[in-house]
Amino acid sequence: MTTTIDAPPAAGTAARIREHVVNLCAGPEGGHLGGSMSLAEILATLYTRVLRVDPLDPASPGRDVLLLSKGHGGLALYAALTEAGFFPADRLAEYGRPGGEFMAHPHAEIPGVEMPSGSLGHGLALAVGFGLGFRLDGADRRCFVVMGDGELQEGSVWEAASVAAAQRLDTLVAVVDRNRLQITGATETIDALEPLADRWSAFGWTVRQVDGHSCEELEAALTEPPAPGRPTVVIAHTVKGKGIPFVEDQPRSHYAKLGERQHAKALAALRRGAAS
């Protein structure tokens, strides 16, 4: 298993994740830009500071499990996996190509991807299954599930949340990418989620709220020991399209095909942000 002792700084990894995502969205198929950019620090912190995984042995029986429930953040996951060493960066050139394994939504043939995702609202139920399996095996393992806030409008999420609490699955951690936007607009004008923290707490979960673009806050929340018998949710407040001023906090960033000028402009913005 890898450890975090010699891991690269999470913030630097997040910056590289964003550049990968922008480059992929400049390809012939474009990609889910906004929701991938808001995930960068979340995934960077998980892979550099939190998860017990081995990129040389992705199926190691003692590994922690990460499920990306918001499958439209797949580009960020691919970027995080290549930064973590699961496969070389040049494989990302397969994205969107005929016969390539890298698609808009991730699937389990890709090293490091545990389950196919994209059917929103299913990830938490799958995570509950992993948590119950760990218990039956007597395994010292944890399951992390990264969710979008829009998918919290699905009833299956709250069924799974109820079961997780009833089963006292304290090895389960949900991370909500709370960027407040979904493809058709603001979550609070479509099907309001607030008071979101109170809702999770009412279902029996320990709730931690953080700045989802602060690797330090994310690491503290994700490594703090769980309350015995209670699953944990980390509500990470983020900005959709983070790092690219001309699409930040806009629903139109959900899927984008960047032209040559937009690609160059986006990369320049990211590099200015990384240097500041």
Side-chain angles (χ1 to χ4, degrees), residues 146-192:
V146 177
M147 310 170 68
D149 50 3
E151 73 177 294
L152 301 187
Q153 296 160 351
E154 300 283 354
S156 56
V157 169
W158 300 104
E159 293 177 39
S162 178
V163 171
Q167 293 295 321
R168 300 176 60 80
L169 293 179
D170 52 14
T171 59
L172 174 58
V173 179
V175 184
V176 177
D177 179 12
R178 184 66 168 121
N179 62 34
R180 294 180 172 267
L181 289 175
Q182 55 197 100
I183 190 170
T184 49
T187 58
E188 299 312 287
T189 62
I190 294 168
D191 186 357

Side-chain angles (χ1 to χ4, degrees), residues 177-260:
D177 179 12
R178 184 66 168 121
N179 62 34
R180 294 180 172 267
L181 289 175
Q182 55 197 100
I183 190 170
T184 49
T187 58
E188 299 312 287
T189 62
I190 294 168
D191 186 357
L193 297 170
E194 295 297 340
L196 186 56
D198 291 345
R199 185 181 296 193
W200 281 101
S201 181
F203 271 81
W205 287 58
T206 296
V207 181
R208 298 169 185 159
Q209 298 198 67
V210 300
D211 175 352
H213 299 306
S214 167
C215 295
E216 292 79 11
E217 289 189 28
L218 283 161
E219 181 179 354
L222 291 166
T223 57
E224 183 178 344
R230 291 174 67 95
T232 299
V233 60
V234 176
I235 300 175
H237 295 278
T238 63
V239 176
K240 194 160 188 168
K242 176 70 173 177
I244 308 177
F246 60 88
V247 298
E248 275 189 0
D249 203 28
Q250 297 183 44
R252 68 188 180 95
S253 72
H254 186 82
Y255 197 98
K257 182 178 178 181
L258 299 175
E260 185 175 344

Side-chain angles (χ1 to χ4, degrees), residues 19-40:
E19 288 211 14
H20 286 305
V21 170
V22 164
N23 290 335
L24 291 169
C25 288
E29 300 298 327
H32 289 102
L33 176 65
S36 294
M37 299 296 272
S38 60
L39 279 178

